[in-house]
Amino acid sequence: MPGDLVMTVLARLSRDPGTEDHWLEDDTTRIKVAFEFDIGECYTSGIFFDGVIVVAIGRWQADVFRCTGMGMPPAEARAHSLAALPTYVDFFGLGPPQNQLAPMKEREKNSLHTVFMLTGVCPARAGTLNRLGTLLTKVASQPDVYPPWGLTFVLAGSFMDKAFEYGDTMTCTQDAGDGVGDNHAAFQRYINQVVDRIAHTAPALAEQASFVFIPGPNDPAVGGNMYPRLPFPAGWFEGAAAKLKNVELASNPCRLRYLTREIVFFREDVSAKLLAHSLVPPLKEPGHVTLVKTVADQAHLLPLPPRFASVCAPLEPILRLYPLPDLVVLADRDASWTQVYKDCPFVNPGSFSRSGTFLIYEPSTGGYDLQMVPV
């Protein structure tokens, strides 16, 4: 093959463990690659890690692909994806029958439903429960704007301030405040504090609104630290079910559907995980811009190879992002931000416990707003 022939290759970028050798590979073969571009100048935005799908430009010389430019295959806007798909294909799950879409869209236009999304709701952090009470009081005082029956509160962890430690019987070292050091007792205590604050502050909301609980990185989960994290066991919320009439226990990530609106919610420090395995320095731009382009272009919430992220294979489709939904919530520990890419809004509500920030989503219009409860 002529050494001066410029080629464009679509492949998976990888690195041999314990060496600095990089490769471009597919399911049948692989070729060694050498980067010969100026860092930050000849590749597009994104985090390039072991296992990422790339479009590489370069020349083939002496059995080495000399890469002079690299990028990611661009994501596709939701409207373009849906237009190219047969109408009966439902990637998201639980989709309505085709003959119900038009009536549902009409209902959406007149809907009074509102979704409040709070992440990092950790009662152990000073001020968290007071902030939660302030928010609930304000919402409950405006029934004309926020009718209780039309409200959904998504409450995501970590509810525990320290990582849950798994032992033989789920009883290890987390201190519950009484010196027992029982992991499960600590978690139960924190959940009860959140539920009690809701029930005591806003009885109408506790009776009529819906509450979705999602496990965070520090919280106990069936399957440990494997992705996706399964929902909290129902037995852990028996007390909550007696005080909150509409409780849903969701996985992490989870998919929320309201009529025709599709929302993907993921509570994980994705940016830190991807950057920890980056093979080339990212461009000098805001970190959330790089993160959004990476997960959207890779069409996956956590596109790391199995040795870096344990994924339950039968449930792996939950992590996929194709087609792009109406809203993606990447709930990270970093400060809140918003970014629109390929007509899809990506939002990080920020930590409710640390900064008091949260997200409001209006399904009727698709509008969203970051707000804050002051200290």
Side-chain angles (χ1 to χ4, degrees):
M1 185 177 297
D4 58 351
L5 179 63
V6 177
M7 297 182 295
T8 301
V9 179
L10 174 66
R12 181 172 57 244
L13 178 65
S14 66
R15 180 173 63 182
D16 284 342
T19 74
E20 296 300 321
D21 293 337
H22 296 80
W23 302 83
L24 293 175
E25 59 185 17
D26 59 19
D27 291 339
T28 61
T29 189
R30 68 176 186 166
I31 57 175
K32 194 172 184 178
V33 60
F35 299 127
E36 296 186 353
F37 48 74
D38 293 330
I39 298 300
E41 295 182 2
C42 295
Y43 58 91
T44 63
S45 174
I47 305 174
F48 296 88
F49 45 85
D50 191 351
V52 71
I53 305 299
V54 299
V55 177
I57 301 174
R59 292 176 172 83
W60 178 257
Q61 295 178 344
D63 294 331
V64 175
F65 184 81
R66 303 195 177 277
C67 181
T68 57
M70 187 168 63
M72 293 187 180
E76 187 177 58
R78 174 179 174 82
H80 296 163
S81 298
L82 296 181
L85 293 171
T87 55
Y88 55 81
V89 176
D90 176 26
F91 285 89
F92 195 80
L94 301 178
Q98 186 69 16
N99 61 0
Q100 294 184 17
L101 286 177
M104 283 185 170
K105 287 185 178 294
E106 286 300 315
R107 288 175 57 193
E108 277 179 358
K109 295 178 181 178
N110 303 314
S111 172
L112 296 177
H113 280 73
T114 305
V115 183
F116 289 80
M117 303 185 192
L118 288 65
T119 69
V121 183
C122 180
R125 287 187 174 273
T128 299
L129 293 176
N130 289 337
R131 283 176 174 153
L132 180 60
T134 300
L135 172 60
L136 294 171
T137 299
K138 182 178 180 180
V139 172
S141 67
Q142 305 176 71
D144 294 338
V145 179
Y146 301 119
W149 50 265
L151 297 179
T152 297
F153 290 86
V154 178
L155 305 177
S158 297
F159 297 97
M160 302 184 74
D161 59 335
K162 298 178 183 178
F164 188 93
E165 296 184 20
Y166 295 90
D168 294 336
T169 58
M170 296 180 67
T171 53
C172 284
T173 60
Q174 174 93 24
D175 189 355
D178 55 8
V180 175
D182 184 343
N183 267 285
H184 184 264
F187 173 78
Q188 201 74 65
R189 178 169 172 260
Y190 293 147
I191 290 296
N192 289 341
Q193 288 175 349
V194 172
V195 171
D196 288 344
R197 182 57 61 101
I198 296 171
H200 294 160
T201 303
L205 300 185
E207 183 72 24
Q208 301 180 56
S210 297
F211 295 86
V212 181
F213 289 86
I214 299 175
N218 287 349
D219 298 325
V222 177
N225 293 320
M226 183 174 291
Y227 299 96
R229 285 176 172 264
L230 298 182
F232 292 126
W236 296 0
F237 280 76
E238 289 180 351
K243 300 175 182 178
L244 307 180
K245 299 305 180 182
N246 303 299
V247 174
E248 294 288 342
L249 304 178
S251 62
N252 182 23
C254 73
R255 299 184 176 197
L256 307 173
R257 180 190 290 277
Y258 176 76
L259 296 178
T260 68
R261 299 289 186 182
E262 298 177 355
I263 305 169
V264 171
F265 188 104
F266 192 25
R267 171 61 189 100
E268 185 54 81
D269 300 325
V270 181
S271 182
K273 287 185 176 295
L274 297 184
L275 288 172
H277 303 288
S278 178
L279 301 181
V280 295
L283 297 180
K284 294 181 179 179
E285 61 184 2
H288 66 271
V289 175
T290 303
L291 172 63
V292 166
K293 190 173 188 305
T294 301
V295 298
D297 288 353
Q298 299 298 307
H300 203 279
L301 291 169
L302 195 63
L304 290 169
R307 67 177 179 274
F308 297 140
S310 298
V311 175
C312 179
L315 300 178
E316 184 272 337
I318 296 177
L319 295 162
R320 298 178 188 176
L321 278 180
Y322 182 85
L324 286 172
D326 295 291
L327 173 70
V328 178
V329 180
L330 296 177
D332 202 302
R333 63 186 174 187
D334 294 334
S336 59
W337 49 260
T338 63
Q339 177 73 19
V340 176
Y341 181 58
K342 297 296 182 179
D343 300 329
C344 177
F346 290 74
V347 184
N348 174 20
S351 172
F352 187 75
S353 293
R354 294 181 179 180
S355 60
T357 54
F358 61 95
L359 175 67
I360 299 179
Y361 181 69
E362 303 285 352
S364 60
T365 62
Y368 55 93
D369 186 28
L370 284 172
Q371 295 196 16
M372 181 179 71
V373 178
V375 178

